Amino acid sequence: RPVETTDQLADIVGGVVNPRYLQKSLARVFQGLRIEVNQELDMLERALQQSLKLLRPGGRLIVLAYHSLEDRLVKRFIKTGNTAGEIKKDFYGNTISKMKPVSKGVIQPSSEEIELNPAARSARMRVGEKKEEQME
């Protein structure tokens, strides 16, 4: 059926979701639509790839991600140098990557920061460093 307004979409979601989970379900539906319409994941991938051209060896890339889809792309990129997470190896089996993680894992906001800024609760920060040029 045609859906022309956000209220109509909210009513449809409300008709199939337990009222207890309505707010969270609506947030997910509208977030998914926003991500798709704005091509947010494609834009993030392009920005990450372009960062390799802009960073000098030793330069650091800091990325704040606000949901797991973004964070997964960033994590893979910092670990492998590509967003697909494909680990490339040289003739001897050594991993080839243009990036390396600086911090161990993800950096999350403190409880004090979340108290001052509730929007920070979903933020995840990752830091990577561009490696010296390697032979491929």
Side-chain angles (χ1 to χ4, degrees):
R1 62 183 167 186
V3 178
E4 296 180 6
T5 68
T6 56
D7 285 338
Q8 288 175 335
L9 180 56
D11 289 342
I12 292 168
V13 173
V16 295
V17 171
N18 183 330
R20 180 176 173 188
Y21 304 110
L22 179 61
Q23 202 61 34
K24 190 169 192 170
S25 297
L26 287 172
R28 287 179 175 168
V29 166
F30 286 104
Q31 179 184 42
L33 288 171
R34 188 200 74 229
I35 289 168
E36 183 59 30
V37 167
N38 295 334
Q39 299 178 345
E40 292 177 13
L41 299 178
D42 294 334
M43 294 296 136
L44 176 59
E45 278 191 57
R46 288 174 54 190
L48 291 171
Q49 292 299 332
Q50 290 173 359
S51 73
L52 286 175
K53 296 174 186 165
L54 297 172
L55 284 172
R56 293 182 181 155
R60 291 190 173 184
L61 174 69
I62 300 171
V63 182
L64 288 175
Y66 288 92
H67 57 80
S68 61
L69 296 174
E70 291 174 341
D71 188 48
R72 186 177 306 122
L73 282 176
V74 174
K75 178 182 177 179
R76 288 177 181 165
F77 180 77
I78 289 175
K79 183 177 180 183
T80 65
N82 63 72
T83 54
E86 298 168 358
I87 298 174
K88 297 179 183 176
K89 299 195 177 233
D90 65 12
F91 178 78
Y92 301 104
N94 300 316
T95 301
I96 298 173
S97 176
K98 296 179 180 180
M99 297 291 292
K100 69 177 179 181
V102 171
S103 57
K104 187 75 172 166
V106 67
I107 301 167
Q108 297 179 308
S110 66
S111 54
E112 295 84 24
E113 185 173 358
I114 293 171
E115 193 172 317
L116 291 171
N117 178 12
R121 73 186 181 282
S122 61
R124 305 290 178 263
M125 185 170 77
R126 293 190 185 269
V127 182
E129 185 175 297
K130 185 173 180 182
K131 292 181 175 180
E132 298 294 324
E133 298 297 321
Q134 295 177 322
M135 299 297 290
E136 290 189 34

